[in-house]
Amino acid sequence: MPEIPRWASQALSGVYDPCCREKGISVVEMGLIRSVEVNEGLARVELLLTSGWCPFAARVLTEVRERIEEQPGVREAEVEVVWDEAWTVDRLSPRAARMLRFLPDPAQVPDKAAYVARREQR
């Protein structure tokens, strides 16, 4: 995964996919930002979506662009959804993964009742 500049991570840490806003998980923690580059005041941001059917994509793209354009040295920003890489849960920050608690692949749970019982004890 390319390193996202610290200034960009900080600027985008308050941008949320509406599905995760109530949990306080930003697009940075979701791993939706693939890259940020600035050349002569023009910023280019590559963004992944959790789903190609995300109904909030336009809103997220707009908010990312606005936040990047507010940064010193940036006069304009382009935000592009990239399709050559799929978003996976591996991109989640450790905090986001803990908060979302994704369930394992059903094939990895041979005894469903035992798995559910263990989860209920937590």
Side-chain angles (χ1 to χ4, degrees):
M1 231 181 303
E3 185 95 7
I4 307 302
R6 183 176 171 87
W7 64 267
S9 291
Q10 290 173 336
L12 299 174
S13 65
V15 175
Y16 302 93
D17 178 310
C19 296
C20 292
R21 182 179 302 276
E22 71 182 33
K23 291 187 180 287
I25 301 172
S26 72
V27 295
V28 174
E29 289 184 288
M30 287 292 297
L32 300 182
I33 307 302
R34 182 165 104 170
S35 67
V36 178
E37 296 177 356
V38 179
N39 187 10
E40 297 181 15
L42 176 61
R44 183 168 188 285
V45 180
E46 292 182 324
L47 185 75
L48 299 168
L49 298 177
T50 56
S51 164
W53 299 101
C54 177
F56 305 111
R59 180 201 248 162
V60 172
L61 269 69
T62 299
E63 195 168 348
V64 166
R65 181 184 49 76
E66 290 171 350
R67 293 288 177 98
I68 293 296
E69 286 179 342
E70 293 171 351
Q71 302 309 302
V74 176
R75 62 176 164 69
E76 185 180 355
E78 295 176 353
V79 182
E80 177 184 350
V81 174
V82 293
W83 302 104
D84 63 343
E85 177 183 355
W87 179 87
T88 65
V89 295
D90 296 339
R91 296 186 61 89
L92 291 168
S93 72
R95 176 182 170 274
R98 280 192 311 276
M99 291 182 75
L100 293 174
R101 293 185 185 164
F102 281 92
L103 296 175
D105 184 317
Q108 296 175 344
V109 183
D111 183 347
K112 178 183 170 191
Y115 176 81
V116 170
R118 282 192 308 272
R119 299 295 288 183
E120 289 175 346
Q121 292 174 357
R122 292 182 183 179

